Amino acid sequence: MLPTEPSKPAAFPLLPETSAFPQTASVVVRTIQKGDHISKVAREVYGVSNPAVFAWIKQNNPQLQNVNHIDVGMQLTFPPLPFGVR
């Protein structure tokens, strides 16, 4: 009997869809205030600020064209971070 090839891992997207989270997970909606910037808000909401977190924020806020430019009064949604994004 010939040895079988090890199975290849399934291709997964870098960041899962938001629907992958249980309905009990809390989502934070935050209105941007004067003096806020994305790294500050990310640290306040998630406790961490890095490019993977910024990509997650951008993916879940289609109105956000550039994470480096947020306007006062803009409302951003912060769903729970997926497993492995920290």
Side-chain angles (χ1 to χ4, degrees):
M1 180 180 229
L2 295 174
T4 59
E5 259 186 60
S7 62
K8 294 180 182 178
F12 294 103
L14 178 61
L15 299 173
E17 296 295 322
T18 57
S19 61
F21 297 102
Q23 295 299 319
T24 58
S26 61
V27 174
V28 174
V29 176
R30 171 92 180 254
T31 302
I32 300 304
Q33 305 294 317
K34 183 176 179 179
D36 282 347
H37 46 88
I38 201 69
S39 59
K40 174 187 171 196
V41 177
R43 280 192 306 273
E44 290 173 358
V45 174
Y46 295 126
V48 66
S49 170
N50 62 47
V53 172
F54 299 156
W56 178 246
I57 293 168
K58 190 169 191 296
Q59 178 178 330
N60 287 282
N61 291 280
Q63 77 280 18
L64 185 60
Q65 299 298 314
N66 181 346
V67 294
N68 295 314
H69 180 82
I70 56 176
D71 295 319
V72 171
M74 180 182 280
Q75 286 194 327
L76 297 179
T77 302
F78 296 88
L81 287 175
F83 181 76
V85 176
R86 276 276 166 190

